[in-house]
Amino acid sequence: MSLNVAVQMDPMETLNIAGDSTFALMLSAQSRGHRLWHYDASDLSYSAGKVWARAHPVTVQRVAGDHFAFGAAENIDLGEQMDVVLMRQDPPFDLGYITATHLLERISDRTLIVNDPASVRNAPEKVFVLDYAQFMPPTLVTRSLDEARAFLAEHGEIVVKPLHGNGGKAIFKVGSDGANLASLIEVFNTAYREPHMIQAFIPAVSQGDKRIVLVDGEVAGAVNRIPGEGEIRSNLAVGGSAAKTELTAREAEICAVLGPELKRRGLLFVGIDVIGGEWLTEINVTSPTGIVAIDRFNGTDTGAMIWDAIERKVAAKR
């Protein structure tokens, strides 16, 4: 089965091909004979029921600095000419991102969108996870300094982070003395209109923050991300290092509970984050990462698993 695949993503020249999950997916697709197009979300247009993008046919190779080649740009009808659209641009989860999900939703009866655009829109990472509060560390969502102070008094040490942040950016630990908490909430309230996420600090984060990838509701693998020296953030994008790992019984339980709902929502490629083998902190659905490190440690081929699932779903649509 040869598919036409449009990839909505960031500029190709910005990719770190050594660890980029989207690039790995593109290589895997190309190896199967699928044809690829690249476009940015800002290139989407709509009229009279049609959604199209100004896109480049693209080929990829694992050669740093020469990892892609574009053909001439053309308008592609995403609802008629494409079998699959991969939504893979990085957040921020802003109005531009949300608008792209609204446009792509209009063709989802004809073209497989991965992940499902309506479900992505309704499941931002740090909000969707609230449905599974039984697995989370103590959590507060607020803009109120008084509420933050009360939460700190209850839990001793806390972490404050943007509700729609990504990649480990703007995450702050506040100690029991509460120094700078007022200033931090003031800065957050100025920078963001939405509430912020405040959680009890989990000391076990020093041993790693596990990224577990689920494909169509099934566990594909996991990697442990260990914070760098002097850091509480373990994201690979901010200096964390990757290590081989296995699932704990608690993590397997979390995946068993989440899996069927992810599958039902059309969230085919999902990465969840778990601290200390038991505390669920995020459900990443917008542009999950981690498959390159997982495959390197485990000898697996997560890209192939994802394309197997995509091909099954495309066949079911035909």
Side-chain angles (χ1 to χ4, degrees):
M1 178 192 299
S2 179
L3 303 178
N4 291 313
V5 180
V7 189
Q8 178 177 300
M9 61 183 291
D10 299 315
M12 291 292 298
E13 57 270 20
T14 67
L15 301 184
N16 174 8
I17 67 170
D20 190 89
S21 292
T22 304
F23 187 74
L25 286 174
M26 295 173 77
L27 281 173
S28 183
Q30 185 175 270
S31 73
R32 291 173 172 235
H34 302 328
R35 295 180 297 274
L36 298 169
W37 280 260
H38 172 280
Y39 74 93
D40 183 90
S42 63
D43 296 319
L44 285 170
S45 299
Y46 167 88
S47 180
K50 292 184 178 295
V51 177
W52 69 93
R54 189 70 175 167
H56 291 270
V58 60
T59 57
V60 290
Q61 60 180 357
R62 195 173 285 285
V63 178
D66 187 26
H67 57 280
F68 73 98
F70 277 162
E74 57 188 276
N75 285 341
I76 56 171
D77 186 324
L78 298 177
E80 299 299 330
Q81 294 175 269
M82 296 295 110
D83 300 295
V84 182
V85 172
L86 299 182
M87 288 186 63
R88 292 292 304 172
Q89 83 270 23
D90 287 337
F93 192 80
D94 56 12
L95 282 175
Y97 200 108
I98 291 170
T99 300
T101 69
H102 280 293
L103 294 177
L104 292 176
E105 186 181 3
R106 280 158 170 74
I107 60 166
S108 60
D109 59 329
R110 291 163 280 162
T111 301
L112 179 68
I113 317 296
V114 180
N115 286 318
D116 177 83
S119 293
V120 167
R121 187 173 64 246
N122 293 331
E125 275 78 349
K126 297 181 184 69
V127 179
F128 182 25
V129 71
L130 300 177
D131 289 354
Y132 302 94
Q134 72 269 32
F135 299 123
M136 295 180 68
T139 298
L140 170 70
V141 178
T142 190
R143 289 175 61 87
S144 167
L145 175 59
D146 288 342
E147 295 293 344
R149 281 174 167 159
F151 191 80
L152 174 63
E154 180 180 359
H155 296 288
E157 294 180 305
I158 60 174
V159 172
V160 182
K161 50 191 173 182
L163 195 63
H164 297 301
N166 72 298
K169 301 182 185 73
I171 296 177
F172 295 88
K173 178 185 174 186
V174 178
S176 57
D177 61 0
N180 295 320
L181 178 60
S183 295
L184 182 58
I185 295 299
E186 179 183 341
V187 168
F188 268 48
N189 282 350
T190 301
Y192 308 106
R193 296 183 62 185
E194 65 272 13
H196 327 300
M197 177 167 274
I198 303 174
Q199 293 182 313
F201 175 68
I202 306 298
V205 72
S206 64
Q207 301 165 26
D209 175 3
K210 196 172 295 184
R211 164 58 57 87
I212 306 170
V213 167
L214 295 96
V215 176
D216 207 19
E218 301 293 331
V219 175
V223 63
N224 197 31
R225 303 172 300 179
I226 301 170
E229 185 70 26
E231 269 283 3
I232 63 167
R233 302 176 299 171
S234 56
N235 306 69
L236 302 183
V238 293
S241 59
K244 184 176 175 61
T245 190
E246 302 289 340
L247 297 194
T248 65
R250 175 70 161 182
E251 289 165 342
E253 178 190 0
I254 292 170
C255 292
V257 171
L258 267 61
E261 181 63 13
L262 300 178
K263 185 180 180 73
R264 187 189 71 80
R265 291 184 181 222
L267 296 169
L268 188 147
F269 177 14
V270 174
I272 69 171
D273 296 337
V274 183
I275 293 175
E278 60 178 318
W279 300 107
L280 176 67
T281 58
E282 292 189 17
I283 304 173
N284 296 273
V285 305
T286 49
S287 184
T289 61
I291 68 173
V292 175
I294 288 171
D295 290 345
R296 183 171 70 247
F297 287 118
N298 298 337
T300 49
D301 191 344
T302 306
M305 293 177 63
I306 291 170
W307 283 107
D308 285 345
I310 288 172
E311 289 168 8
R312 288 195 301 269
K313 290 181 179 294
V314 171
K317 273 182 172 285
R318 289 180 171 175

